[in-house]
Amino acid sequence: MFSCQLNPDLELRLLETRYARPLFRTVQRNRNYLNEWLPWVKHIENVDDMKDYIEFEQKRRELQQGFSAVILEGGNPVGVVSYQELDWRNRKASLGYWLSADCQGRGIMTIACKEMVQYAIVTLEMNRVEIRTRSDNARSRSVADRLGFSLEGLLRQEERSGASYYDHAVYGMVASEWDRHKRERRKAAGDGYVEAAAAEEA
């Protein structure tokens, strides 16, 4: 089963129905914020809707099409990171994520996404990981930047929200670059790599 301890208080665990109620409470607290960026939020009106969403994610995992991991801080769900697509033929994954507004600015999403990229490239043997985000979502884009992803282009008016259309920024990372970045980070940090990386992301 997929799980990863990110630090003493933070972990990634496979998204399961037992998290439906606390995760729904997190969505409720952040509904106004999340509605601005995530069109699916308006469809999560109660705990049963959250259970349906989680069961859908579990089915995707069974079909090896993708899966989601919940971010737990002190045992409480504060966000989700997903492989929105796993393309086995072309060995590539698409990464998506969201985080509770009161947990942002502390490097939580960066460290969670780093582990998901590592898992995709090393364990799933993907050659490419892609992040697509609205071009005006500065926080989401900063995660891709901090992880060393390359900005590869802009998809004009890719997303419709209400009466407006929004561009999407496309970021990519390939396995050879990820390995090089990892070696460079370790070389720069020396024996204190873990502590230095945590301080950098704080």
Side-chain angles (χ1 to χ4, degrees):
M1 181 179 295
F2 174 87
S3 66
C4 180
Q5 193 75 39
L6 302 174
N7 65 38
D9 295 321
L10 198 67
E11 63 180 320
L12 280 175
R13 298 190 68 88
L14 193 66
L15 184 59
E16 298 175 325
T17 53
R18 61 188 170 124
Y19 297 117
R21 189 172 299 277
L23 190 60
F24 176 71
R25 289 197 294 264
T26 300
V27 170
Q28 279 289 81
R29 289 197 309 272
N30 290 271
R31 187 169 293 274
N32 290 337
Y33 167 70
L34 294 175
N35 268 329
E36 182 178 0
W37 308 109
L38 303 172
W40 56 262
V41 170
K42 63 178 176 289
H43 301 297
I44 307 296
E45 298 179 347
N46 50 53
V47 174
D48 287 338
D49 290 338
M50 183 60 74
K51 286 182 179 177
D52 289 342
Y53 161 70
I54 294 174
E55 288 171 356
F56 171 76
E57 287 297 286
Q58 291 175 323
K59 185 65 174 179
R60 288 204 313 127
R61 182 173 182 269
E62 292 171 5
L63 296 173
Q64 297 187 325
Q65 297 174 344
F67 69 85
S68 291
V70 61
I71 304 171
L72 301 172
E73 185 175 40
N76 299 311
V78 296
V80 171
V81 186
S82 302
Y83 295 126
Q84 296 177 323
E85 180 186 16
L86 291 174
D87 181 345
W88 297 98
R89 179 178 181 274
N90 296 299
R91 312 303 297 187
K92 64 180 181 178
S94 176
L95 196 63
Y97 41 86
W98 65 267
L99 185 67
S100 178
D102 60 348
C103 293
Q104 295 181 12
R106 296 192 278 132
I108 291 175
M109 189 54 75
T110 300
I111 195 172
C113 285
K114 182 173 72 174
E115 291 302 326
M116 292 290 278
V117 175
Q118 177 77 1
Y119 187 83
I121 291 174
V122 175
T123 303
L124 301 182
E125 298 182 344
M126 294 292 169
N127 180 61
R128 171 180 168 84
V129 180
E130 182 176 284
I131 293 173
R132 295 191 182 194
T133 179
R134 257 175 49 180
S135 61
D136 59 335
N137 191 337
R139 286 191 178 275
S140 182
R141 295 186 67 169
S142 70
V143 171
D145 289 332
R146 285 195 294 270
L147 291 173
F149 276 62
S150 296
L151 177 60
E152 298 178 335
L154 199 67
L155 301 176
R156 297 181 301 158
Q157 298 187 15
E158 170 73 3
E159 178 185 334
R160 181 184 178 188
S161 181
S164 301
Y165 290 88
Y166 295 91
D167 298 342
H168 275 200
V170 181
Y171 291 84
M173 172 68 69
V174 296
S176 58
E177 292 174 341
W178 184 252
D179 290 341
R180 187 178 71 248
H181 286 314
K182 186 165 62 174
R183 288 194 302 270
E184 289 172 353
R185 288 195 298 268
R186 286 176 174 168
K187 182 179 179 181
D191 293 338
Y193 167 69
V194 174
E195 290 79 8
E200 178 184 349
E201 292 166 350

